[in-house]
Amino acid sequence: MTQNKPSQAERRRIAQEKIAAQRAAEARRQRTINISMIVGGVVLLAGVGVLANWAINSTDKSKAKAAASAAATDPSIDKSANLLASTAHQADGQDIDGIVKSNEMEQTVYHIHTHLQVFVDGKQMTIPYGVGIVPPLQLQQAQDGTAFVAGGSKFYFLHTHDETGIIHVESPTQQQYDLGNLFDLWNQPLSSDNIAGHQGRLTVFVDGKPYTGDPRAIVFKNLEKVQIDVGTVVPYKDWTWPSGY
């Protein structure tokens, strides 16, 4: 039996169907590629985001660690023997307790001084220079040969220039500041049984009179003198203000 050959029209129809099928297959393949690229792009972006966050966090942590390490080894920081506590890990410019701020220059609209002396088991401790002054410190020599901080990258409204125990309150506005504020920017504990890591019952005198309240709440007042004993009680020792205060 002789098989009839497809007509030219039939051959053209078959060819067109094959071309259409190929185009449909190609379209499906292209959609698959596009979807894969989109998914891959999303994954890549997510990965980049995670990597970027990791890099930023790592960089921030590295910078913080480097800054702390640099501060701890900064030769301008007071490393005298018998310090009550080092200033190596104090605040470096951020606001403290919402009211104690810092500035590149000293602010003297409100300018008073309070003296602080601390005894630990009968031994007088040194209040370091540079509390509340952000390194690098500019040191000068006082007339008695001791160090005096003449400058720094920032000054907090509460700070010390030397080891005399004089706390300088230098603020652009009249504001009450207390001992707790000073120790917070110093990054040292202060409570009824702990001062800068020295533990024991605290006995406090303000201008020679016993003070039984929270030591953190002692408000700085001009030319007032504060004595804190840890452990062994040392009878109040008066202190004479230098001329010029």
Side-chain angles (χ1 to χ4, degrees):
M1 182 174 180
T2 302
Q3 186 175 8
N4 293 330
K5 293 182 178 180
S7 65
Q8 186 175 359
E10 183 68 18
R11 288 198 299 273
R12 187 164 53 249
R13 183 186 63 78
I14 294 172
Q16 288 174 343
E17 288 178 351
K18 287 182 178 180
I19 292 172
Q22 289 173 352
R23 287 177 176 173
E26 178 63 22
R28 287 194 298 272
R29 187 178 73 83
Q30 190 60 47
R31 283 196 300 271
T32 301
I33 292 174
N34 290 343
I35 292 172
S36 298
M37 290 179 65
I38 292 172
V39 172
V42 171
V43 172
L44 178 61
L45 287 174
V48 169
V50 171
L51 182 60
N53 285 335
W54 175 84
I56 290 171
N57 291 335
S58 296
T59 300
D60 289 345
K61 289 179 181 178
S62 297
K63 286 182 178 178
K65 186 176 181 180
S69 177
T73 57
D74 187 337
S76 69
I77 289 178
D78 195 343
K79 294 181 174 62
S80 299
N82 207 39
L83 288 182
L84 179 64
S86 171
T87 62
H89 304 293
Q90 67 177 343
D92 58 4
Q94 68 271 32
D95 292 355
I96 301 298
D97 300 336
I99 60 170
V100 188
K101 304 177 185 294
S102 63
N103 198 289
E104 292 180 0
M105 300 294 291
E106 292 178 273
Q107 307 293 305
T108 57
V109 173
Y110 180 57
H111 190 187
I112 65 172
H113 304 89
T114 296
H115 184 258
L116 173 66
Q117 57 185 356
V118 178
F119 296 84
V120 176
D121 289 328
K123 181 179 181 181
Q124 185 165 9
M125 311 301 288
T126 301
I127 307 299
Y129 62 69
V131 176
I133 303 178
V134 181
L137 306 181
Q138 299 171 21
L139 299 181
Q140 295 180 351
Q141 192 175 58
Q143 291 183 347
D144 61 359
T146 59
F148 180 89
V149 182
S153 63
K154 289 185 178 180
F155 287 85
Y156 275 96
F157 299 165
L158 307 176
H159 57 262
T160 65
H161 282 282
D162 51 31
E163 295 179 340
T164 59
I166 297 175
I167 312 302
H168 295 251
V169 179
E170 301 180 11
S171 172
T173 59
Q174 187 163 344
Q175 167 77 48
Q176 278 196 345
Y177 300 100
D178 56 39
L179 203 56
N181 297 144
L182 178 71
F183 276 77
D184 286 347
L185 74 83
W186 194 353
N187 199 24
Q188 296 295 332
L190 177 62
S191 65
S192 61
D193 59 1
N194 188 334
I195 180 169
H198 301 277
Q199 298 183 347
R201 184 175 179 273
L202 266 60
T203 302
V204 182
F205 300 92
V206 176
D207 277 346
K209 299 177 181 179
Y211 173 88
T212 58
D214 181 357
R216 293 181 55 85
I218 296 175
V219 175
F220 290 116
K221 296 180 181 179
N222 195 35
L223 303 184
E224 195 166 66
K225 292 171 281 190
V226 178
Q227 176 177 317
I228 299 178
D229 303 334
V230 185
T232 303
V233 178
V234 175
Y236 178 74
K237 292 187 176 182
D238 198 13
W239 186 83
T240 302
W241 284 95
S243 61
Y245 282 92

